[in-house]
Amino acid sequence: MSGKMHVDARIEEHRRRIDGIDGALVGLLNERAQESLQIRILKAEGGLGLFDPKREEDIFEAVCAVNEGPLYNENLREIYEAILKVMKEVPTA
């Protein structure tokens, strides 16, 4: 196998792994959305406000505490800010 073909095969293997990881992430994000929707329903039943800035900071701190890289904590915060924004916009059934 030539050098280029060997590299191409290795790249494809990594891409297959990424595709699998992406599939798992989609499943986990949808699972997370279901949990968020349940909390939204419970907050409405309890007359509680939907936005909890303390909880969001707790989430950022928790994900950063388990971060082993190569992502920086700032990267995780940016990703989770986007996740939380989207979760707030998910319509209830």
Side-chain angles (χ1 to χ4, degrees):
M1 181 181 287
S2 75
K4 182 182 179 331
M5 288 177 60
H6 181 66
V7 168
D8 288 347
R10 289 172 54 203
I11 288 170
E12 284 306 309
E13 177 58 29
H14 287 288
R15 286 180 176 161
R16 279 192 293 278
R17 289 180 188 164
I18 288 171
D19 290 346
I21 292 166
D22 286 344
L25 283 171
V26 168
L28 290 170
L29 287 169
N30 279 309
E31 186 177 336
R32 189 186 197 291
Q34 287 294 339
E35 297 299 328
S36 293
L37 289 171
Q38 292 302 312
I39 290 171
R40 188 185 306 171
I41 291 166
L42 291 169
K43 282 184 171 185
E45 288 175 6
L48 302 171
L50 295 179
F51 179 64
D52 184 350
K54 168 87 171 78
R55 172 63 181 146
E56 288 194 6
E57 282 304 316
D58 290 345
I59 291 169
F60 298 142
E61 287 178 19
V63 297
C64 290
V66 296
N67 183 26
E68 295 181 0
L71 292 173
Y72 294 111
N73 287 348
E74 296 80 23
N75 302 133
L76 285 174
R77 184 177 181 104
E78 185 176 341
I79 290 166
Y80 269 82
E81 284 173 348
I83 289 171
L84 294 175
K85 177 184 179 297
V86 169
M87 295 295 164
K88 290 176 199 164
E89 297 169 354
V90 172
T92 53

